[in-house]
């Protein structure tokens, strides 16, 4: 995971999984869990959020971001609107709408 400042004000977090970083074979469950917590911390400390709301991790990160800042920060979901109820057809892809 990495975090940087762009233009002196906005912070951006780039999150990479252990598998993508080539660490999967030597990662223990506790190290993987610590990585998830670290990713959540970084994502929840940004000034805006880009992610997928079909991902539980992304929804948790955005909820933490909103709770910490006391307001809803700018957000772009790459796949679906925030799903307030299970089984709503609000997701979208090249293949059409899907259930969130």
């Amino acid at each position: 995971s990495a975090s940087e400042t762009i233009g002196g004000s906005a912070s951006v977090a780039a999150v990479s999984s252990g598998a993508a970083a080539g660490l999967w074979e030597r990662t223990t469950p506790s190290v993987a869990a610590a990585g998830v917590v670290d990713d959540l911390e970084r994502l929840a400390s940004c000034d805006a959020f880009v992610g997928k709301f079909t991902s539980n991790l992304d929804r948790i990160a955005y909820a933490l971001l909103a709770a910490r800042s006391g307001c809803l920060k700018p957000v772009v979901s790459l796949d679906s609107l925030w799903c307030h109820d299970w089984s709503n057809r609000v997701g979208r892809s090249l293949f059409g709408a899907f259930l969130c």
Side-chain angles (χ1 to χ4, degrees), residues 7 13 23 27 44-45 53 62 66 81 85 87 92-93:
L23 301 174
T27 300
S45 65
F53 281 154
Y62 187 68
L81 303 172
D85 191 17
S87 196
R92 56 192 176 277
S93 73

Side-chain angles (χ1 to χ4, degrees), residues 41-57:
E41 177 63 33
R42 291 174 186 272
L43 288 169
S45 65
C46 294
D47 297 320
F49 188 82
V50 176
K52 293 184 173 187
F53 281 154
T54 54
S55 165
N56 288 332
L57 185 73

Side-chain angles (χ1 to χ4, degrees), residues 8-95:
S9 63
S11 59
V12 175
V15 179
S16 63
S17 68
L23 301 174
W24 186 257
E25 296 82 22
R26 38 191 183 166
T27 300
T28 65
S30 60
V31 170
V36 169
V37 171
D38 182 55
D39 290 347
L40 280 172
E41 177 63 33
R42 291 174 186 272
L43 288 169
S45 65
C46 294
D47 297 320
F49 188 82
V50 176
K52 293 184 173 187
F53 281 154
T54 54
S55 165
N56 288 332
L57 185 73
D58 286 3
R59 287 195 303 261
I60 292 169
Y62 187 68
L64 286 171
L65 174 64
R68 287 180 178 175
S69 64
C71 66
L72 296 176
K73 295 290 190 167
V75 62
V76 174
S77 177
L78 301 175
D79 60 3
S80 175
L81 303 172
W82 185 278
C83 184
H84 297 284
D85 191 17
W86 183 74
S87 196
N88 285 329
R89 193 170 291 278
V90 296
R92 56 192 176 277
S93 73
L94 295 175
F95 305 106

